[in-house]
């Protein structure tokens, strides 16, 4: 089984949005969806969904490669990628990503940002002016506890 890239995870989330009903995903929202997907993958499967690190930025957890890939859209919705190859996503990955989107996709970017600001992985890693990596161990511990609640 080949591990997904963070970009593949992001692209999958973008296919779930429906801009026709006002459901758009900005870079800020996409970052938080990727963070929650990674956290729940660590908690449920004991393995990361993607390799790229998640860093504690001022506005919450960020996968820097995803930020740079979509920063040209600013605070606006990112269009759905065309020609996405869904065969790279196995059934377990799709189930996890769909579930994360069902639960967290309903929230605005700023609501998700504020939620992450109350969670230990970001709180413990964030230092103003420093882009510290949020450890997978911290995420796994936090999200395992979330599953029990």
């Amino acid at each position: 089984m080949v591990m997904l890239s963070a970009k593949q995870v992001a692209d999958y989330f973008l296919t779930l949005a429906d801009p026709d009903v006002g459901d758009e995903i900005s870079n800020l929202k996409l970052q938080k969806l990727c963070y929650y997907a990674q956290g729940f993958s660590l908690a449920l499967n004991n393995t990361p969904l993607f390799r790229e690190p998640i860093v504690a930025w001022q506005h919450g957890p960020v996968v820097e490669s995803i930020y740079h890939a979509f920063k040209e859209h600013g605070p606006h919705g990112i269009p759905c990628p065309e020609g996405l190859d869904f065969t790279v996503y196995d059934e377990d990955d799709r189930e996890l990503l769909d579930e994360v989107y069902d639960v967290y996709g309903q929230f605005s970017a700023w609501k998700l940002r504020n939620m992450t600001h109350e969670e230990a992985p970001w709180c413990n890693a964030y230092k103003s002016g420093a882009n510290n990596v949020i450890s997978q161990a911290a995420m796994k511990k936090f999200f395992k506890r979330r599953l029990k609640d």
Side-chain angles (χ1 to χ4, degrees):
M1 183 170 101
V2 177
M3 184 179 292
L4 296 173
S5 70
K7 177 76 164 58
Q8 288 170 316
V9 171
D11 285 346
Y12 187 89
F13 280 132
L14 292 171
T15 68
L16 299 177
D18 185 357
D20 292 338
V21 296
D23 180 23
E24 293 187 320
I25 299 178
S26 65
N27 203 337
L28 184 65
K29 183 171 182 170
L30 187 58
Q31 295 294 339
K32 306 319 168 238
L33 293 172
C34 289
Y35 162 76
Y36 284 115
Q38 183 78 309
F40 283 113
S41 179
L42 290 163
L44 291 166
N45 306 324
N46 292 313
T47 185
L49 191 59
F50 54 85
R51 275 191 190 82
E52 295 88 340
I54 297 179
V55 180
W57 281 17
Q58 177 182 0
H59 293 296
V62 170
V63 179
E64 291 175 321
S65 62
I66 298 301
Y67 171 79
H68 292 295
F70 296 113
K71 67 183 176 185
E72 69 192 49
H73 299 284
H76 307 290
I78 301 167
C80 180
E82 294 182 22
L84 190 64
D85 179 7
F86 286 96
T87 64
V88 301
Y89 306 92
D90 69 28
E91 187 177 334
D92 291 338
D93 292 338
R94 288 181 74 150
E95 192 175 302
L96 174 72
L97 295 172
D98 289 343
E99 181 69 19
V100 167
Y101 193 78
D102 286 348
V103 173
Y104 294 97
Q106 65 184 308
F107 299 119
S108 72
W110 282 93
K111 169 72 174 170
L112 293 170
R113 175 220 182 256
N114 293 340
M115 288 166 57
T116 64
H117 276 56
E118 297 172 3
E119 298 171 353
W122 180 85
C123 291
N124 294 335
Y126 180 71
K127 303 287 183 270
S128 182
N131 293 344
N132 295 320
V133 171
I134 299 173
S135 78
Q136 289 184 357
M139 291 175 64
K140 182 177 178 179
K141 179 179 178 184
F142 175 79
F143 284 95
K144 276 197 178 284
R145 271 199 314 261
R146 289 290 289 277
L147 292 173
K148 293 177 183 173
D149 293 341

